[in-house]
Amino acid sequence: MSTTSLQIPPTEGVRKIGAGEGEHFDIADSRFTWKAKAADTGYAFAIYELPLDPGKGVPLHSHSYAEVFYILDGRVDFMRLTDGQQDWVSCERGETLIVPPNAFHGFANRSGAPARLLSTANLLHQAFFDEAARPALASDPLPDSPPNMAELQRALSLAPKYNMFFAPPPAHELTPSTQDLRAD
């Protein structure tokens, strides 16, 4: 072992983020919580927590960076494209889903019980949410459902700036709907 590594002085700043703690933000009809932001990790990654009530989710999209999901509670179904067709992958508590760069994916709680997940991605993912979302307090009322269309359009218009691209909804679906979020 090299003695050089022993000469590196320790740093301070180790901290704990408790349950329910973190920086809360609202986008669409969901409340997210930053558990670690990029500045906390030397700009290596950022982590958010997202509770998902039944019928809630994120539509099919892609981005130029990888993302990893870890299911804390319940079941979350992830949509992916396989040979140009939508395919659902169910993940339950303790399971992980890895999304490589540029892979189309979306997710939803298609069960009848609440779910909760962690997502890990990079600074660009965080920067999108920092610009597109509204800051919130844990005590604030949850966002309205369905989402405010003006806010949703603003978020969608910002996505390309952060190398994020949302798939257009099917032609028959002109308003937000949970039609594709229902259990099989």
Side-chain angles (χ1 to χ4, degrees), residues 34-119:
W34 287 117
K35 300 310 265 184
K37 293 186 87 172
D40 300 322
T41 67
Y43 297 94
F45 59 89
I47 301 172
Y48 68 74
E49 180 179 346
L50 176 61
L52 280 175
D53 286 335
K56 298 263 183 148
V58 173
L60 193 63
H61 66 284
S62 71
H63 33 72
S64 60
Y65 41 86
E67 187 172 15
V68 176
F69 296 93
Y70 180 79
I71 310 307
L72 297 168
D73 292 308
R75 185 185 95 202
V76 179
D77 295 328
F78 291 86
M79 184 192 309
R80 64 183 177 178
L81 291 181
T82 303
D83 297 325
Q85 300 296 314
Q86 292 181 356
D87 178 38
W88 288 94
V89 176
S90 290
C91 292
E92 296 186 10
R93 181 180 178 184
E95 295 183 319
T96 300
L97 185 96
I98 301 167
V99 179
N102 299 313
F104 269 101
H105 63 287
F107 57 90
N109 179 348
R110 302 187 316 156
S111 76
R116 197 165 50 99
L117 60 80
L118 285 178
S119 170

Side-chain angles (χ1 to χ4, degrees), residues 13 55 76 163 175:
V76 179
N163 295 331
T175 59

Side-chain angles (χ1 to χ4, degrees), residues 17-18 20-24 33-35 136:
I17 308 297
E21 294 179 347
E23 186 178 317
H24 306 286
T33 303
W34 287 117
K35 300 310 265 184

Side-chain angles (χ1 to χ4, degrees), residues 18-30:
E21 294 179 347
E23 186 178 317
H24 306 286
F25 62 98
D26 295 346
I27 189 164
D29 60 352
S30 296

